[in-house]
Amino acid sequence: MTPLCLKRAPAANPETTGRAARTQAALVLLLAMGLGAMTVSSSGLLPHHASGEVRVTAPGLHFLTGKSLSRLHDGATVPFDFQLIIASGSKNNVVARALERFIISYDVWEEKFSVVRVRDFHKSGMRLSANGVESWCLDNIFVQAASLPAGQQLWARLEIRAVESRETLPTDSGINLATLIEIFSRPSRPQQERWSLESAPFELASLKP
Amino acid sequence: MKLVLIPALAALTLLGQSQNLIPAPDSGEQDHASDLNVNSRYTIESINFADQRQYKLSTSALEDIRRLIGAKVNTEALDRLSQRIRAELRAHEVTFKLTRGQKPEAVRVLIQVDQAAGVVDASVAKLFYNSQQGFTGVGEVTATLGSNALTFRMLRDSDTLIERYSGIQARYDRLSLADGRIRLGFEFDAYQDQYDPSTLAALDGASRPSSLGAGAYGSRLSYQPSATFVLAAPLTLTVGLDFEQLGNLPMAARPVSANAVINTLRYHQRWTGAGGNKQELDAGYSLRAATTLLGSGLAYTRHLAHAGYSYSRDAQSVEVTIVAGAIHGQAPLFERFAIGDSAMLLGWNKYVLDPVGGNRLAYASVKYGYHMMRVFYDTGSVWDQGKPAQVKQSVGVGVSGGLGVFEKGTFLLALAFPLQQGSVTPVVIAGMNF
C-alpha cells in the first residue's frame, strides 16, 4: 500500500524561494504562537529506516489522554489526524510528508482499544492497550526513504490532532490527501488536543532499523 | 353524555425513562459494516438520559430511539439522534455514552444533555374538559440553566382529587449531583379550592366520615423540599417533606397544618426481547406520614402502591394495572382516595361513588390494544375502613394515536360504559397530550 507521501518540488527561483521561506517562517511563527498548548519536543521523536521506509517512534508520546480518552471510554470513536514531515537543510524545507487518519475506539466490554487506518480499512489493530494503539499508529505512518535526499541533514516532525466531536468529518471513504493537507494547513482550534514532536537532526544513512 | 379531555398516553411524550421499545434490526439506519466503532458488534439494550430527568421529545424522536434499541450500535445513527435531541431540547450539547449492559454483548446508551447555554420552554402540559366538572389544564414555563431548572405552572384541576383546585406551582430542581445519582428539588404550591355540592353535603351531613382530618378548606399552601436518589437505575428513591397549610376552614380560626414525611420508591423499566416483543414495568410505593413531630395538626399515614405491566408485540398490546392504598389516622380531603376520574374506573363519576373519597382503595385494569384500537376493563372501589367495599366495574372501547403534524401530541377517543344495574349511560372520553 502506497503511503500518502508528498515530495516537495525544487524551487527554480532564488527570490521565490526566499519569499516562500519567509512566508513559511511567518506561518510557523504564527502557528507556534497560536498553538501554545502544543507539546513540542526536540528529542522525543526517533526516526528509523527499514525496508525502504522511514518511520518514527516516540517513547514519551501519549496522545490517548484527556478529553479524547474520556470520549473513547464513553464508547465513541475518536479520529486522530497524523502528519509526518521530513525536512532537509532547514526545518522549513519539507521534502516529504505523510498524512494519515486513524480512527480509534474503545471496547466497553473488553476494555481494549481498536484502531483503523482510514485510508485502507483492512489495516487495523484490535484489542490493544493504550500504549499499544499509540505505537500502532506510529508504525502505520511512514515516508518512502527513496524520496529523501541522501547525505543531507534531515529533521522529522510529527503532528497529531484529535478530531473534535463537533467537527464535520469527511466520510470514511472520502478522506483523502487533499483533505488532510487542508486540515493541517489551518491552525488548530484553541480547545483542540494536538501534539507535535521533532527529532534531532539525522542523516538517512545513519538511521537504524 | 359528558366530554372529558384527558392527558392520554403521557408516558409516550414525557421521556424520562428507558425506551426499550421496538427494535429494528433491519432498519435502514443500520450500517454495521461501515461503522468503525469496535462497539458496533454489541446490541443496544436500552437508551436512557444520564441525568434521569424527564425530557419532552417529539414522537418521531422517540420512534428513532425505539428503532435503535435492539439493534447493533451504530455510531452515525447515535450521533444523528444526539443532534436531533439537541435541536429539540435546544441544548448546548448532547452526547452519548456507552456502558456495559446487563447481558454480555449488550450495551446501554446514556444520553448526556448539556444545557449550559440555558433554555426557556413554555408549553401547555395538558388540557381537558369535563362537561360536568369543568376545565382541567396545566400551563408551564421551564427555565433550565446548566443543571438547574426552574418551573412555573398555572393549573386548574377538577379531575385528580375530590377537591377542585386552581393555583400555581413553582419548583426548583438541581438536576444532577453525584454524577447524576442525586436530584434535589423544592416546590411551592398555592391553591384555591372548590367543592362539588355533593361533597359539601356529605361533609355537613351525618355521613361525614370520622376518619376525615379536616373540613372543606378554601385554600392550600404547600412547601416541599425533596431529594431523589438513583439507587440502582432505574430504581429511584425520593425522600422529602411536605408542609401543607389548609386555610379558610369553616369554624376554624387558624389554618390547619398537615406536615408529612414523604418517601417514594419507584421502578420503571422497559425491555425489548427477541422477536420484537416489548415489555414495560412501572411499579412504585409511596408513604406520606404526617406527624406532630413536624408540627402537624393532623396525624396520619398514607400508603399507596401501584404496579403496571405491559406487553406488546407487533400490532398487539396488553396492559395490566393494579393500585392499592390505605390511610390510617385522620387525613385531609386532598389525601383521600378517589376513583371514577380520567385515570381510574373510567366512565364512573367519582362524586357518585364517594363524594368525600375513602381511606381505602383497590383498583385493577386490563387493556388490550390492536393497532389504534383499544378496549379496556376497569374494576375498583374506594371505601372507609370498617365499611363494606362496593366494587364497581366499567368497560370501554376507543382509538388512540399520534397527531401527525403535532408530533408531541397523541390523542385518545374512547367510549366507557359503567357497568351497573338499570340504565347504562356511556361516557365519551377524548384526550390530548401536549
Side-chain angles (χ1 to χ4, degrees):
Chain A
M1 190 66 67
T2 305
L4 299 173
C5 293
L6 283 182
K7 187 174 180 181
R8 187 168 180 248
N13 187 325
E15 187 180 339
T16 307
T17 305
R19 192 163 55 235
R22 284 195 297 275
T23 304
Q24 282 188 332
L27 281 173
V28 168
L29 182 62
L30 283 172
L31 280 174
M33 292 171 65
L35 309 181
M38 180 186 289
T39 303
V40 179
S41 168
S42 61
S43 58
L45 195 64
L46 307 174
H48 306 270
H49 179 199
S51 305
E53 295 162 345
V54 174
R55 289 181 164 80
V56 293
T57 56
L61 171 66
H62 297 291
F63 57 88
L64 292 186
T65 57
K67 193 166 58 178
S68 297
L69 183 61
S70 178
R71 284 168 59 198
L72 287 166
H73 283 159
D74 285 349
T77 53
V78 180
F80 286 85
D81 291 333
F82 279 60
Q83 176 174 233
L84 176 61
I85 289 174
I86 305 294
S88 173
S90 76
K91 292 183 180 179
N92 297 324
N93 183 31
V94 177
V95 293
R97 173 160 59 177
L99 299 125
E100 298 284 3
R101 168 167 287 182
F102 299 103
I103 294 185
I104 301 174
S105 58
Y106 177 77
D107 191 313
V108 296
W109 271 100
E110 296 185 356
E111 297 184 342
K112 293 288 185 183
F113 293 89
S114 291
V115 56
V116 176
R117 189 167 69 180
V118 171
R119 185 164 50 84
D120 46 352
F121 292 159
H122 298 299
K123 190 70 175 176
S124 62
M126 305 290 288
R127 297 185 175 87
L128 301 172
S129 65
N131 289 342
V133 81
E134 289 168 344
S135 299
W136 191 95
C137 291
L138 293 185
D139 279 346
N140 284 278
I141 182 169
F142 54 85
V143 298
Q144 297 291 346
S147 65
L148 304 179
Q152 291 193 22
Q153 198 171 44
L154 304 171
W155 286 269
R157 186 165 80 238
L158 177 69
E159 293 180 15
I160 305 171
R161 294 185 186 186
V163 180
E164 294 179 302
S165 56
R166 281 189 171 191
E167 283 187 47
T168 303
L169 296 176
T171 60
D172 294 337
S173 57
I175 190 75
N176 54 32
L177 179 61
T179 304
L180 288 172
I181 290 173
E182 194 267 331
I183 287 171
F184 278 101
S185 66
R186 64 181 182 232
S188 60
R189 299 179 187 183
Q191 302 298 325
Q192 188 174 19
E193 292 180 308
R194 67 272 187 191
W195 298 261
S196 179
L197 293 91
E198 287 183 1
S199 72
F202 64 93
E203 288 191 13
L204 187 60
S206 64
L207 291 181
K208 297 176 181 178
Chain B
M1 182 178 291
K2 62 182 181 181
L3 182 66
V4 185
L5 288 164
I6 66 169
L9 306 174
L12 286 180
T13 56
L14 297 174
L15 177 71
Q17 305 296 325
S18 58
Q19 295 290 330
N20 305 21
L21 298 174
I22 306 167
D26 53 354
S27 160
E29 293 184 353
Q30 294 302 311
D31 191 8
H32 177 52
S34 66
D35 197 332
L36 300 179
N37 191 334
V38 67
N39 298 296
S40 61
R41 60 196 171 115
Y42 298 134
T43 302
I44 296 178
E45 179 181 283
S46 64
I47 298 179
N48 296 314
F49 281 104
D51 57 11
Q52 298 288 320
R53 192 183 161 203
Q54 291 190 339
Y55 291 99
K56 189 179 288 187
L57 295 178
S58 68
T59 305
S60 54
L62 294 175
E63 196 59 39
D64 285 348
I65 291 174
R66 291 170 193 152
R67 274 200 294 269
L68 290 173
I69 294 169
K72 299 291 184 186
V73 169
N74 183 323
T75 306
E76 190 180 343
L78 287 171
D79 281 336
R80 279 202 304 270
L81 175 66
S82 298
Q83 292 310 307
R84 177 169 201 154
I85 293 173
R86 174 173 172 262
E88 289 193 6
L89 300 180
R90 286 175 284 172
H92 176 61
E93 188 169 19
V94 173
T95 56
F96 69 85
K97 174 181 181 178
L98 304 180
T99 62
R100 290 180 177 182
Q102 290 182 325
K103 298 175 183 174
E105 307 294 308
V107 292
R108 297 173 177 171
V109 177
L110 296 176
I111 298 172
Q112 303 173 115
V113 179
D114 176 8
Q115 293 188 318
V119 294
V120 176
D121 184 35
S123 65
V124 178
K126 63 178 180 181
L127 176 67
F128 62 90
Y129 174 73
N130 182 313
S131 59
Q132 288 187 337
Q133 300 174 16
F135 282 100
T136 290
V138 179
E140 69 177 29
V141 177
T142 301
T144 305
L145 185 63
S147 294
N148 303 286
L150 284 170
T151 303
F152 180 79
R153 297 189 187 95
M154 294 186 69
L155 71 161
R156 176 184 172 86
D157 192 327
S158 57
D159 182 65
T160 311
L161 305 176
I162 287 295
E163 70 199 55
R164 293 167 178 163
Y165 60 102
S166 57
I168 61 166
Q169 296 177 344
R171 181 174 179 85
Y172 165 77
D173 283 292
R174 175 68 182 177
L175 301 172
S176 182
L177 287 173
D179 199 21
R181 302 193 70 83
I182 301 175
R183 271 176 59 178
L184 301 180
F186 180 83
E187 181 171 324
F188 167 73
D189 305 336
Y191 304 125
Q192 295 293 318
D193 299 278
Q194 294 179 320
Y195 299 89
D196 188 82
S198 61
T199 302
L200 295 174
L203 289 173
D204 290 338
S207 60
R208 175 188 170 115
S210 59
S211 61
L212 186 62
Y217 42 87
S219 64
R220 183 155 61 93
L221 296 177
S222 173
Y223 307 85
Q224 301 171 41
S226 65
T228 298
F229 302 89
V230 180
L231 300 179
L235 180 66
T236 61
L237 171 68
T238 299
V239 296
L241 300 170
D242 184 5
F243 297 94
E244 298 262 359
Q245 279 193 349
L246 312 178
N248 299 328
L249 281 154
M251 295 179 293
R254 300 173 55 189
V256 172
S257 58
N259 303 331
V261 177
I262 306 170
N263 295 282
T264 301
L265 194 63
R266 188 175 183 218
Y267 181 88
H268 188 178
Q269 181 66 293
R270 293 184 174 98
W271 300 271
T272 300
N277 67 70
K278 176 190 73 177
Q279 300 175 73
E280 179 177 350
L281 175 63
D282 184 6
Y285 165 74
S286 69
L287 167 67
R288 296 171 60 90
T291 167
T292 54
L293 293 175
L294 294 174
S296 178
L298 302 171
Y300 60 88
T301 56
R302 182 184 194 267
H303 308 265
L304 181 67
H306 77 275
Y309 171 78
S310 68
Y311 178 91
S312 64
R313 184 186 177 98
D314 299 328
Q316 300 187 79
S317 64
V318 176
E319 180 182 343
V320 179
T321 305
I322 297 173
V323 182
I327 298 172
H328 301 281
Q330 293 188 309
L333 273 174
F334 74 87
E335 297 278 34
R336 290 173 68 83
F337 301 117
I339 59 174
D341 52 24
S342 64
M344 293 189 286
L345 207 62
L346 274 67
W348 284 88
N349 185 330
K350 63 186 174 188
Y351 298 116
V352 171
L353 294 175
D354 193 335
V356 291
N359 63 9
R360 294 292 185 274
L361 164 69
Y363 166 78
S365 173
V366 179
K367 293 185 180 73
Y368 170 77
Y370 181 74
H371 287 290
M372 291 179 65
M373 295 297 297
R374 301 286 185 273
V375 294
F376 61 86
Y377 167 77
D378 279 13
T379 182
S381 179
V382 290
W383 72 100
D384 275 311
Q385 184 184 19
K387 295 182 179 178
Q390 294 187 341
V391 178
K392 303 296 184 185
Q393 303 167 76
S394 67
V395 295
V397 61
V399 294
S400 74
L403 282 179
V405 293
F406 304 107
E407 289 187 334
K408 289 186 177 179
T410 56
F411 76 89
L412 172 68
L413 180 64
L415 201 60
F417 299 86
L419 299 182
Q420 56 187 331
Q421 289 185 338
S423 63
V424 174
T425 306
V427 176
V428 173
I429 301 164
M432 288 180 65
N433 259 342
F434 294 88

